[in-house]
Amino acid sequence: MLTTTRTTRVEWGDCDPAGIIFYVRYFEIFDVSTTMLLERALGMTKFEYLKAYDFLGHPLVETRARFLRPTRFGDEIAIETAVVSCGRSSFKVEHRLRRAGVLAVEGYETRVWVIRHPDDPARMKSQPLPADVVARLTQTPVPPS
Amino acid sequence: MLTTTRTTRVEWGDCDPAGIIFYVRYFEIFDVSTTMLLERALGMTKFEYLKAYDFLGHPLVETRARFLRPTRFGDEIAIETAVVSCGRSSFKVEHRLRRAGVLAVEGYETRVWVIRHPDDPARMKSQPLPADVVARLTQTPVPPS
Amino acid sequence: MLTTTRTTRVEWGDCDPAGIIFYVRYFEIFDVSTTMLLERALGMTKFEYLKAYDFLGHPLVETRARFLRPTRFGDEIAIETAVVSCGRSSFKVEHRLRRAGVLAVEGYETRVWVIRHPDDPARMKSQPLPADVVARLTQTPVPPS
Amino acid sequence: MLTTTRTTRVEWGDCDPAGIIFYVRYFEIFDVSTTMLLERALGMTKFEYLKAYDFLGHPLVETRARFLRPTRFGDEIAIETAVVSCGRSSFKVEHRLRRAGVLAVEGYETRVWVIRHPDDPARMKSQPLPADVVARLTQTPVPPS
């Protein structure tokens, strides 16, 4: 399965009066990591792949996170993000966030592939993942189109 | 168990280019609701109860959320928040977020009661919940102090 | 000129390790207030008025803020928002944010009325404000349509 | 005067339903840049320099920004940040944010050096900048201590 790692830094504005990261910021960090995973898989930016595959995005239907150790402003963190499984219209992603090599947070996401609802542009509708997207996320041969 | 409900509104700046709320904002909404639950339980603002009980906060050790229906800017939402269980040094909270009476998001949190680490002010240390806090969260008689 | 006032509360997650509000949050607060001002002026939610007037939004071209006194989590704040002037394709808004009646922050904004660029959907283009919007913002008689 | 440049990327969660960056995010970007400027000047992380100089931070008393061109998710941006002037207890910083070499946003900040109020730990008090900090920010010789 496809795996990517990126590094970033916890900033002052991410932290709360206890001096540690406000946990909500981890989900912002994870969302960026999932975007980068898809960009790596598809060889395009998100702006480009939304157009190329003509869809609205890959919102979450479920997420879970475990916070093992706090991080604080100035901490350099590494986030390892991997595809865990790929269904018909959904896929699962896992994040492991480490500070100084030590696991600090684990995150799990289930996301769906959605398009604008044909009957109502204000609604969304899930859709099967394109076969070549599944192939790229699971690192199996891309089917002929 | 103690339960509170509050209402708020999804705003333009909470939403992403798909036109729906960026899911990370739900965790900000849940954090405010948990604060209000504790404020209601203890009859003080968070600023006051951190002082009164001389602790650093109640950070999360785990959270989970299910996103059933999207919400978008202008949507009035109601968040019902309840204590689910109360352990020695942790407690669990559940959130049900509804739009127009229909369940849109469910959130679950496990939080710990932490103090500044006696040996290192940059670290935290979990601590048993005060007996009267447990009593107020579980709505059982408050023990004599 | 049209003026509205709303109240809200500074929350834990809005504050930084110094224990005061992270100044960036004031701009989120101001953006909500400007939305409410327009909703009041036009008698519709932003979701509705973007559709009714078929435009993309009213992004800022300039803003300025003065921070006179800090606020912190638990503080109830009142934000008074007023239209200051209305040009052909832009309008100016002022915010006064008070805690316990005392002025804490002043904000100024210049916004433009934009539509999707006819030649490139990824770009925007400013546009004259509709005459009835100007009338409602400046509280002068709404012209016959 | 000291100048630093860093690059970052506008992300999906930074953007609003118009598809462009929600302007509030620029202030988060600027705050990180000012932190990096001070870290560069002082040769320490913010966590370290708050301790080393025993102060609470450098909050803003005023800010101003001009938004010349929008940016959107996936855009690589470069932020050039410079000290403009240094007073007794305040200093001014300018940011120029460019996309593909073209100026998109200009930001201006006046910040003060604050300590915890000696009479009330919940309040802050401005304080003259240490002489060596002034020297490092203005790139003049550091005075002997």
Side-chain angles (χ1 to χ4, degrees):
Chain A
M1 296 281 180
L2 187 63
T3 303
T4 60
T5 301
R6 70 181 186 100
T7 57
T8 189
R9 203 173 88 135
V10 178
E11 298 294 345
W12 173 262
D14 297 326
C15 295
D16 66 23
I20 59 166
I21 194 173
F22 181 49
Y23 80 102
V24 170
R25 307 297 160 228
Y26 285 127
F27 294 102
E28 290 180 357
I29 291 169
F30 290 156
D31 194 69
V32 172
S33 288
T34 298
T35 293
M36 289 193 177
L37 184 81
L38 276 142
E39 289 178 337
R40 178 74 58 87
L42 306 178
M44 287 179 257
T45 67
K46 183 166 183 173
F47 189 84
E48 291 164 346
Y49 71 63
L50 291 181
K51 275 197 177 168
Y53 290 91
D54 192 20
F55 74 123
L56 208 56
H58 35 64
L60 289 88
V61 289
E62 184 156 11
T63 191
R64 192 161 66 84
R66 293 207 311 141
F67 309 99
L68 308 170
R69 287 154 187 278
T71 59
R72 63 186 185 199
F73 58 104
D75 282 351
E76 298 282 347
I77 53 178
I79 308 103
E80 185 186 299
T81 299
V83 179
V84 176
S85 68
C86 219
R88 203 177 113 80
S89 59
S90 71
F91 60 102
K92 289 179 195 281
V93 171
E94 256 186 47
H95 307 279
R96 291 181 197 283
L97 187 152
R98 291 182 174 83
R99 183 176 51 93
V102 179
L103 188 64
V105 187
E106 287 176 338
Y108 308 89
E109 303 172 354
T110 306
R111 290 176 177 258
V112 285
W113 195 269
V114 300
I115 58 167
R116 204 169 287 288
H117 200 286
D119 302 335
D120 177 2
R123 288 168 56 207
M124 305 183 314
K125 188 177 170 299
S126 76
Q127 178 90 344
L129 274 85
D132 79 295
V133 172
V134 174
R136 289 174 203 277
L137 290 176
T138 55
Q139 301 205 306
T140 51
V142 176
S145 58
Chain B
M1 296 282 180
L2 187 63
T3 302
T4 60
T5 301
R6 71 181 185 99
T7 58
T8 188
R9 203 173 88 137
V10 178
E11 299 293 347
W12 173 262
D14 297 326
C15 295
D16 66 22
I20 59 166
I21 194 172
F22 182 49
Y23 80 102
V24 171
R25 305 299 159 227
Y26 284 127
F27 294 103
E28 290 180 358
I29 290 169
F30 290 156
D31 194 69
V32 172
S33 288
T34 298
T35 293
M36 288 194 177
L37 185 81
L38 276 142
E39 290 179 337
R40 178 74 58 87
L42 306 177
M44 288 180 257
T45 67
K46 183 165 182 173
F47 190 83
E48 290 165 346
Y49 72 63
L50 290 180
K51 276 198 176 169
Y53 290 91
D54 192 20
F55 75 122
L56 207 57
H58 34 64
L60 289 88
V61 288
E62 184 156 12
T63 191
R64 191 160 67 83
R66 294 207 311 141
F67 309 99
L68 308 171
R69 286 155 188 276
T71 60
R72 64 185 185 201
F73 59 105
D75 282 351
E76 299 282 345
I77 53 177
I79 309 104
E80 186 186 299
T81 298
V83 179
V84 175
S85 68
C86 217
R88 205 178 111 81
S89 59
S90 71
F91 59 102
K92 289 179 194 282
V93 171
E94 254 184 50
H95 306 279
R96 291 180 198 283
L97 187 150
R98 289 182 175 85
R99 183 176 52 94
V102 178
L103 189 64
V105 188
E106 287 175 339
Y108 307 88
E109 304 172 352
T110 305
R111 290 175 177 260
V112 285
W113 195 268
V114 300
I115 57 168
R116 205 167 287 288
H117 200 287
D119 302 336
D120 178 0
R123 288 169 57 208
M124 305 184 313
K125 187 177 171 298
S126 77
Q127 178 91 343
L129 275 84
D132 80 293
V133 172
V134 174
R136 288 174 202 277
L137 289 175
T138 55
Q139 300 207 305
T140 51
V142 176
S145 59
Chain C
M1 297 281 179
L2 187 63
T3 302
T4 59
T5 301
R6 70 181 186 100
T7 57
T8 188
R9 204 171 89 137
V10 178
E11 299 294 345
W12 173 262
D14 297 325
C15 294
D16 65 23
I20 60 167
I21 194 172
F22 182 49
Y23 80 102
V24 171
R25 305 299 159 227
Y26 285 127
F27 294 102
E28 290 180 358
I29 291 169
F30 290 155
D31 195 69
V32 173
S33 288
T34 297
T35 293
M36 288 193 178
L37 185 81
L38 276 142
E39 290 178 337
R40 178 74 59 86
L42 306 178
M44 287 179 259
T45 67
K46 182 167 183 173
F47 190 84
E48 291 165 346
Y49 73 62
L50 291 180
K51 275 197 177 170
Y53 291 91
D54 193 21
F55 74 123
L56 208 56
H58 35 64
L60 288 87
V61 289
E62 183 156 12
T63 192
R64 192 161 67 82
R66 295 205 311 141
F67 309 99
L68 309 170
R69 287 153 187 278
T71 60
R72 62 185 186 202
F73 59 104
D75 281 352
E76 299 282 347
I77 53 178
I79 308 104
E80 186 187 297
T81 298
V83 178
V84 176
S85 68
C86 219
R88 203 178 113 83
S89 59
S90 70
F91 59 101
K92 288 179 195 282
V93 171
E94 255 185 49
H95 306 279
R96 292 180 197 283
L97 187 152
R98 292 180 173 85
R99 184 176 50 94
V102 179
L103 189 64
V105 187
E106 286 176 340
Y108 307 89
E109 304 172 352
T110 305
R111 290 175 178 260
V112 284
W113 195 268
V114 300
I115 59 168
R116 205 169 287 288
H117 200 287
D119 302 337
D120 177 0
R123 288 169 56 208
M124 305 184 314
K125 187 178 171 298
S126 77
Q127 178 90 344
L129 275 84
D132 79 294
V133 172
V134 174
R136 289 173 203 278
L137 289 176
T138 56
Q139 300 206 307
T140 50
V142 176
S145 58
Chain D
M1 297 280 180
L2 186 63
T3 302
T4 60
T5 301
R6 71 181 186 99
T7 57
T8 187
R9 204 172 87 136
V10 178
E11 298 294 344
W12 173 261
D14 296 326
C15 295
D16 66 23
I20 59 167
I21 193 172
F22 182 49
Y23 80 103
V24 171
R25 305 299 159 227
Y26 284 126
F27 294 102
E28 290 180 358
I29 290 169
F30 290 156
D31 195 69
V32 172
S33 288
T34 297
T35 293
M36 287 194 178
L37 185 81
L38 276 142
E39 290 178 338
R40 178 75 57 87
L42 306 178
M44 287 179 255
T45 67
K46 182 166 183 173
F47 189 84
E48 291 164 347
Y49 72 63
L50 291 180
K51 275 197 177 169
Y53 290 91
D54 193 20
F55 75 123
L56 207 56
H58 34 66
L60 289 88
V61 289
E62 184 156 11
T63 191
R64 192 160 66 83
R66 294 206 312 140
F67 309 100
L68 308 170
R69 285 154 188 278
T71 60
R72 63 186 185 200
F73 59 103
D75 282 352
E76 298 284 345
I77 53 177
I79 308 104
E80 185 187 298
T81 299
V83 178
V84 176
S85 68
C86 218
R88 205 177 112 80
S89 59
S90 71
F91 59 103
K92 289 180 194 282
V93 172
E94 256 185 47
H95 307 279
R96 291 182 198 283
L97 187 151
R98 289 182 175 85
R99 183 176 51 94
V102 179
L103 188 64
V105 187
E106 287 175 339
Y108 308 88
E109 305 173 351
T110 306
R111 290 176 178 260
V112 285
W113 195 268
V114 300
I115 57 167
R116 206 169 285 288
H117 200 287
D119 303 336
D120 178 0
R123 289 169 56 207
M124 306 183 314
K125 188 179 171 298
S126 76
Q127 178 91 342
L129 275 85
D132 80 295
V133 173
V134 173
R136 289 174 202 277
L137 289 176
T138 55
Q139 300 206 305
T140 51
V142 175
S145 58

